[in-house]
Amino acid sequence: MLANKDSLVEALKLALSPENNPKRNFTQSVELILTFKGIDMKKGELKLREIVPLPKEPSKPRKVLVIPAFQQIESAKKAEPNVLLTREDLQKLQGQKRAIKKLARQNDWFLVSQESMALVGRILGPALGPRNKFPTPLPNTADVTEYILRFKRSTIVRTKDQPHVQTFIGTEDMKPEDLAENAMAVLNAIESKAKVEANLRAIYVKTTMGKIIKVEFKK
Protein backbone atom coordinates (compact mmCIF):
# COMPACT_ATOMS: atom_id res chain seq x y z
CA MET A 1 0.00 0.00 0.00
CA LEU A 2 1.40 3.40 -1.01
CA ALA A 3 -0.16 5.27 1.94
CA ASN A 4 -2.86 4.65 4.50
CA LYS A 5 -6.09 6.58 4.84
CA ASP A 6 -5.31 8.00 8.29
CA SER A 7 -2.11 9.67 7.11
CA LEU A 8 -3.95 11.08 4.09
CA VAL A 9 -6.67 12.51 6.34
CA GLU A 10 -4.08 14.21 8.54
CA ALA A 11 -2.29 15.73 5.55
CA LEU A 12 -5.58 16.89 4.03
CA LYS A 13 -6.62 18.56 7.28
CA LEU A 14 -3.38 20.51 7.19
CA ALA A 15 -3.81 21.36 3.50
CA LEU A 16 -7.35 22.67 4.15
CA SER A 17 -6.46 24.64 7.30
CA PRO A 18 -6.66 28.47 7.06
CA GLU A 19 -2.92 28.90 7.57
CA ASN A 20 -2.13 26.71 4.58
CA ASN A 21 -5.18 27.48 2.48
CA PRO A 22 -6.22 31.16 2.59
CA LYS A 23 -9.82 31.83 1.59
CA ARG A 24 -10.31 32.52 -2.12
CA ASN A 25 -13.33 33.81 -4.01
CA PHE A 26 -13.86 30.45 -5.74
CA THR A 27 -14.07 26.81 -4.70
CA GLN A 28 -10.60 25.38 -5.07
CA SER A 29 -9.79 21.92 -6.31
CA VAL A 30 -7.83 19.52 -4.13
CA GLU A 31 -4.99 17.65 -5.82
CA LEU A 32 -2.92 14.57 -5.08
CA ILE A 33 0.72 14.67 -6.20
CA LEU A 34 3.12 11.74 -6.49
CA THR A 35 6.82 12.19 -7.22
CA PHE A 36 9.16 9.45 -8.38
CA LYS A 37 12.89 8.76 -8.19
CA GLY A 38 15.23 6.78 -10.44
CA ILE A 39 12.90 7.08 -13.44
CA ASP A 40 13.98 8.03 -16.96
CA MET A 41 10.81 9.46 -18.46
CA LYS A 42 12.47 9.84 -21.87
CA LYS A 43 12.85 6.08 -22.02
CA GLY A 44 9.22 5.58 -21.07
CA GLU A 45 10.11 3.74 -17.87
CA LEU A 46 6.88 4.86 -16.22
CA LYS A 47 3.71 5.33 -18.22
CA LEU A 48 0.42 5.99 -16.51
CA ARG A 49 -2.93 6.84 -18.03
CA GLU A 50 -5.55 5.60 -15.60
CA ILE A 51 -9.14 6.85 -15.49
CA VAL A 52 -10.34 6.60 -11.88
CA PRO A 53 -13.99 7.10 -10.83
CA LEU A 54 -13.99 8.90 -7.47
CA PRO A 55 -16.16 7.19 -4.83
CA LYS A 56 -17.08 10.52 -3.19
CA GLU A 57 -18.60 12.87 -5.75
CA PRO A 58 -17.01 16.34 -5.82
CA SER A 59 -19.28 19.36 -5.44
CA LYS A 60 -17.65 20.65 -8.62
CA PRO A 61 -18.17 17.90 -11.22
CA ARG A 62 -15.67 17.35 -13.99
CA LYS A 63 -16.71 19.13 -17.18
CA VAL A 64 -17.70 16.68 -19.89
CA LEU A 65 -18.21 17.38 -23.60
CA VAL A 66 -20.33 14.74 -25.31
CA ILE A 67 -20.82 14.05 -29.01
CA PRO A 68 -23.34 11.19 -29.03
CA ALA A 69 -24.76 9.14 -31.86
CA PHE A 70 -28.28 10.15 -32.89
CA GLN A 71 -29.92 7.36 -30.84
CA GLN A 72 -27.90 8.40 -27.76
CA ILE A 73 -28.84 12.08 -27.70
CA GLU A 74 -31.81 11.86 -25.30
CA SER A 75 -29.99 9.70 -22.76
CA ALA A 76 -26.94 11.95 -23.00
CA LYS A 77 -29.09 14.99 -22.17
CA LYS A 78 -30.23 13.31 -18.93
CA ALA A 79 -26.65 13.31 -17.67
CA GLU A 80 -26.46 17.10 -18.15
CA PRO A 81 -22.96 17.28 -19.63
CA ASN A 82 -21.18 20.61 -19.78
CA VAL A 83 -21.44 20.61 -23.58
CA LEU A 84 -23.52 18.41 -25.88
CA LEU A 85 -22.82 18.58 -29.60
CA THR A 86 -24.45 16.72 -32.45
CA ARG A 87 -22.34 15.50 -35.35
CA GLU A 88 -23.71 18.43 -37.35
CA ASP A 89 -22.67 20.89 -34.61
CA LEU A 90 -19.18 19.42 -34.73
CA GLN A 91 -18.96 19.84 -38.51
CA LYS A 92 -19.92 23.51 -38.15
CA LEU A 93 -16.87 24.04 -35.93
CA GLN A 94 -14.52 23.26 -38.80
CA GLY A 95 -12.06 26.14 -39.09
CA GLN A 96 -13.31 27.99 -35.98
CA LYS A 97 -10.00 27.91 -34.14
CA ARG A 98 -10.98 30.21 -31.29
CA ALA A 99 -14.18 28.29 -30.48
CA ILE A 100 -12.36 24.97 -30.70
CA LYS A 101 -9.58 26.11 -28.34
CA LYS A 102 -12.20 27.33 -25.87
CA LEU A 103 -13.91 23.93 -25.86
CA ALA A 104 -10.56 22.19 -25.41
CA ARG A 105 -9.61 24.47 -22.53
CA GLN A 106 -12.92 24.43 -20.66
CA ASN A 107 -13.69 20.71 -20.65
CA ASP A 108 -12.01 17.82 -18.86
CA TRP A 109 -13.46 14.85 -20.76
CA PHE A 110 -14.47 14.39 -24.39
CA LEU A 111 -16.85 11.46 -24.84
CA VAL A 112 -17.51 10.72 -28.48
CA SER A 113 -19.62 8.20 -30.38
CA GLN A 114 -17.46 5.82 -32.37
CA GLU A 115 -18.94 7.04 -35.64
CA SER A 116 -17.66 10.57 -34.91
CA MET A 117 -14.17 9.72 -33.59
CA ALA A 118 -12.38 10.36 -36.89
CA LEU A 119 -14.19 13.68 -37.33
CA VAL A 120 -13.28 14.73 -33.79
CA GLY A 121 -9.66 13.84 -34.43
CA ARG A 122 -9.61 16.08 -37.48
CA ILE A 123 -11.52 19.05 -36.03
CA LEU A 124 -10.75 19.05 -32.28
CA GLY A 125 -7.54 17.02 -32.33
CA PRO A 126 -5.14 19.94 -33.02
CA ALA A 127 -6.45 21.69 -29.88
CA LEU A 128 -6.76 18.62 -27.67
CA GLY A 129 -3.35 17.08 -28.37
CA PRO A 130 -1.17 19.90 -26.97
CA ARG A 131 -3.32 19.88 -23.82
CA ASN A 132 -2.89 16.13 -23.35
CA LYS A 133 -6.63 15.67 -23.71
CA PHE A 134 -7.96 12.89 -25.90
CA PRO A 135 -11.43 11.74 -26.95
CA THR A 136 -12.85 8.67 -25.22
CA PRO A 137 -15.28 6.48 -27.16
CA LEU A 138 -18.84 6.17 -25.93
CA PRO A 139 -20.20 2.62 -25.73
CA ASN A 140 -22.47 1.52 -28.57
CA THR A 141 -25.49 1.24 -26.27
CA ALA A 142 -28.41 3.64 -26.70
CA ASP A 143 -28.45 4.60 -23.00
CA VAL A 144 -25.21 6.39 -22.08
CA THR A 145 -26.52 8.35 -19.08
CA GLU A 146 -24.65 6.40 -16.39
CA TYR A 147 -21.49 6.28 -18.49
CA ILE A 148 -21.42 10.08 -18.74
CA LEU A 149 -22.25 10.52 -15.05
CA ARG A 150 -19.29 8.31 -14.15
CA PHE A 151 -16.93 10.60 -16.06
CA LYS A 152 -18.38 13.65 -14.28
CA ARG A 153 -16.83 12.22 -11.10
CA SER A 154 -13.70 10.69 -12.62
CA THR A 155 -10.12 11.86 -12.55
CA ILE A 156 -7.14 10.90 -14.67
CA VAL A 157 -3.69 9.87 -13.47
CA ARG A 158 -1.30 10.57 -16.30
CA THR A 159 2.45 10.86 -16.62
CA LYS A 160 3.91 13.44 -18.98
CA ASP A 161 7.59 14.31 -19.38
CA GLN A 162 8.47 14.77 -15.70
CA PRO A 163 8.75 12.10 -12.95
CA HIS A 164 5.56 13.11 -11.15
CA VAL A 165 1.78 13.01 -11.50
CA GLN A 166 -0.76 15.54 -10.24
CA THR A 167 -4.43 14.66 -10.21
CA PHE A 168 -7.77 16.06 -9.03
CA ILE A 169 -9.35 14.28 -6.04
CA GLY A 170 -12.12 16.70 -5.07
CA THR A 171 -12.91 20.19 -3.83
CA GLU A 172 -12.00 22.12 -0.69
CA ASP A 173 -15.58 22.08 0.64
CA MET A 174 -15.45 18.28 1.02
CA LYS A 175 -14.62 16.48 4.26
CA PRO A 176 -10.97 15.39 4.63
CA GLU A 177 -12.20 11.82 5.13
CA ASP A 178 -14.05 11.88 1.79
CA LEU A 179 -11.07 13.40 0.01
CA ALA A 180 -8.86 10.71 1.54
CA GLU A 181 -11.22 8.04 0.22
CA ASN A 182 -10.89 9.51 -3.26
CA ALA A 183 -7.11 9.66 -2.89
CA MET A 184 -7.06 6.00 -1.85
CA ALA A 185 -9.06 5.10 -4.97
CA VAL A 186 -6.37 6.78 -7.09
CA LEU A 187 -3.51 5.10 -5.23
CA ASN A 188 -5.19 1.68 -5.42
CA ALA A 189 -5.65 2.10 -9.16
CA ILE A 190 -1.94 2.68 -9.83
CA GLU A 191 -0.03 0.84 -7.09
CA SER A 192 0.14 -2.38 -9.09
CA LYS A 193 1.65 -0.63 -12.11
CA ALA A 194 5.31 -1.34 -12.85
CA LYS A 195 7.79 0.88 -10.99
CA VAL A 196 5.15 2.91 -9.12
CA GLU A 197 5.75 1.61 -5.58
CA ALA A 198 9.46 0.80 -5.97
CA ASN A 199 10.28 4.26 -7.31
CA LEU A 200 7.86 6.39 -5.31
CA ARG A 201 9.65 9.33 -3.70
CA ALA A 202 6.83 11.17 -1.93
CA ILE A 203 3.08 11.87 -1.85
CA TYR A 204 1.64 15.36 -1.35
CA VAL A 205 -1.76 17.04 -1.24
CA LYS A 206 -2.67 20.64 -1.94
CA THR A 207 -5.50 22.96 -2.91
CA THR A 208 -5.30 24.91 -6.17
CA MET A 209 -3.56 27.89 -4.58
CA GLY A 210 -2.63 26.47 -1.18
CA LYS A 211 0.60 25.14 0.28
CA ILE A 212 1.89 21.69 -0.60
CA ILE A 213 1.60 19.25 2.32
CA LYS A 214 3.58 16.02 2.44
CA VAL A 215 1.79 12.76 3.30
CA GLU A 216 3.70 10.53 5.67
CA PHE A 217 4.23 7.00 4.41
CA LYS A 218 2.68 4.11 6.23
CA LYS A 219 5.14 2.59 8.65
Side-chain angles (χ1 to χ4, degrees):
M1 185 178 292
L2 300 178
N4 64 5
K5 186 175 178 180
D6 289 342
S7 57
L8 283 163
V9 169
E10 290 307 309
L12 285 159
K13 285 179 178 178
L14 284 174
L16 295 171
S17 64
E19 58 267 29
N20 294 317
N21 183 43
K23 184 68 177 175
R24 308 288 177 177
N25 60 0
F26 66 98
T27 301
Q28 297 181 81
S29 296
V30 180
E31 297 167 337
L32 180 72
I33 303 168
L34 285 77
T35 61
F36 300 97
K37 59 187 176 182
I39 294 286
D40 190 335
M41 300 302 290
K42 292 181 180 179
K43 292 182 179 178
E45 291 182 346
L46 179 62
K47 290 184 178 181
L48 295 174
R49 194 181 188 278
E50 300 296 316
I51 297 170
V52 184
L54 299 174
K56 299 297 182 179
E57 187 172 353
S59 63
K60 185 169 66 175
R62 301 281 78 193
K63 292 183 178 179
V64 181
L65 181 150
V66 182
I67 305 174
F70 178 77
Q71 68 272 21
Q72 297 172 326
I73 291 175
E74 291 307 313
S75 67
K77 286 179 180 177
K78 293 177 184 177
E80 298 182 344
N82 189 49
V83 177
L84 192 150
L85 300 175
T86 64
R87 185 178 174 88
E88 291 71 28
D89 294 331
L90 176 62
Q91 290 171 326
K92 291 175 184 176
L93 284 169
Q94 180 78 51
Q96 297 187 41
K97 291 184 179 181
R98 183 175 295 181
I100 290 169
K101 286 181 179 179
K102 183 177 179 180
L103 290 172
R105 184 176 66 252
Q106 293 185 344
N107 292 281
D108 302 296
W109 296 106
F110 298 80
L111 308 183
V112 182
S113 66
Q114 297 186 30
E115 66 188 37
S116 295
M117 285 294 281
L119 193 60
V120 166
R122 187 167 71 248
I123 296 174
L124 301 185
L128 296 181
R131 292 171 173 79
N132 279 300
K133 296 179 178 181
F134 302 94
T136 300
L138 283 166
N140 285 323
T141 55
D143 191 342
V144 291
T145 306
E146 288 302 320
Y147 189 81
I148 296 169
L149 290 173
R150 178 156 60 89
F151 275 85
K152 289 177 74 171
R153 59 177 176 85
S154 290
T155 192
I156 188 165
V157 186
R158 178 175 52 213
T159 48
K160 298 179 184 177
D161 55 354
Q162 298 296 321
H164 74 268
V165 293
Q166 185 166 340
T167 187
F168 171 90
I169 57 168
T171 44
E172 64 178 340
D173 53 352
M174 295 172 66
K175 296 178 181 178
E177 292 79 9
D178 290 345
L179 289 165
E181 191 168 333
N182 286 350
M184 288 298 296
V186 170
L187 296 173
N188 290 339
I190 66 170
E191 69 177 349
S192 63
K193 303 297 178 181
K195 294 184 178 288
V196 166
E197 188 164 5
N199 295 85
L200 183 65
R201 183 189 298 277
I203 301 175
Y204 304 91
V205 290
K206 71 180 293 291
T207 58
T208 304
M209 302 183 72
K211 292 182 180 179
I212 296 176
I213 303 298
K214 186 176 182 180
V215 180
E216 296 301 325
F217 289 101
K218 182 181 180 182
K219 303 298 184 184

